[in-house]
Amino acid sequence: MNTATQLKVQAYLDNELSPAEARQVASLISSDSEARLVYSELKDTKEILAGNESPATLPDSPDFYWSQIQRRIAAEEKIAPRTTPTPWWMKLLAPAAGAIALFAALLSIQGPSVRPTGSSDISAMHEIENNPQMSTITFRSESEGVTVVWVSANDTAASDADPFE
């Protein structure tokens, strides 16, 4: 039995058919055993549900109940934040400002890349501290971007000696 026929049997049980359709389905149920089985199952299910259905009642009248729901919905609509559309000029300036900030960040990371004329690769080599126990020498190379600090312990006899000799 197809679904359409099963739905017709259910509509017959619920008295939803026209008199002509009801006669056709009644003759189908009396002649077809499968239709009779579907009809009896639906009828038993309807009787069981009708006998065990719990009554549903509202604490207030339906009009009062639905008016409360409408008031709550209206209150929520008033509370809901409304977004304002972004101005057209902000849509144009925001990407430009981002590009300028990115360009500035790249320039600050890169640092100055131009060396003064006449400068050598070794930009500074000098002695920072010289005391009897220790001497410190700093070397800075601008082209390599590196600084080296050399710390050496002095012997008491050679404390006055030049570390570059």
Side-chain angles (χ1 to χ4, degrees):
M1 175 180 293
N2 61 17
T3 307
T5 308
Q6 289 176 353
L7 290 174
K8 288 277 189 180
V9 170
Q10 183 178 0
Y12 174 77
L13 181 65
D14 293 337
N15 293 325
E16 297 174 346
L17 297 177
S18 65
E21 288 178 320
R23 282 191 297 272
Q24 289 176 349
V25 174
S27 67
L28 176 68
I29 291 171
S30 63
S31 64
D32 187 9
S33 63
E34 189 175 355
R36 210 175 12 257
L37 179 65
V38 169
Y39 177 77
S40 66
E41 286 179 4
L42 288 173
K43 185 177 177 184
D44 292 342
T45 303
K46 184 176 181 179
E47 288 172 0
I48 290 171
L49 289 176
N52 294 318
E53 195 172 355
S54 62
T57 58
L58 294 174
D60 300 315
S61 70
D63 292 334
F64 179 73
Y65 181 74
W66 288 111
S67 68
Q68 284 182 330
I69 292 174
Q70 287 176 338
R71 276 186 265 145
R72 287 183 186 167
I73 290 172
E76 288 293 326
E77 288 175 351
K78 288 179 184 176
I79 293 173
R82 299 192 177 176
T83 59
T84 57
T86 307
W88 64 268
W89 56 270
M90 184 66 97
K91 291 179 184 178
L92 293 176
L93 290 181
I100 290 170
L102 180 63
F103 183 69
L106 289 175
L107 282 180
S108 68
I109 291 172
Q110 182 183 7
S113 62
V114 177
R115 275 193 270 163
T117 58
S119 68
S120 64
D121 189 27
I122 300 174
S123 64
M125 183 172 206
H126 63 278
E127 189 171 342
I128 296 176
E129 183 180 327
N130 193 5
N131 67 23
Q133 289 83 24
M134 169 182 14
S135 65
T136 308
I137 299 173
T138 303
F139 167 76
R140 171 82 180 143
S141 173
E142 290 292 331
S143 65
E144 298 295 323
V146 70
T147 301
V148 177
V149 178
W150 178 356
V151 179
S152 64
N154 292 335
D155 293 338
T156 55
S159 64
D160 294 332
D162 188 9
F164 294 107
E165 294 180 8

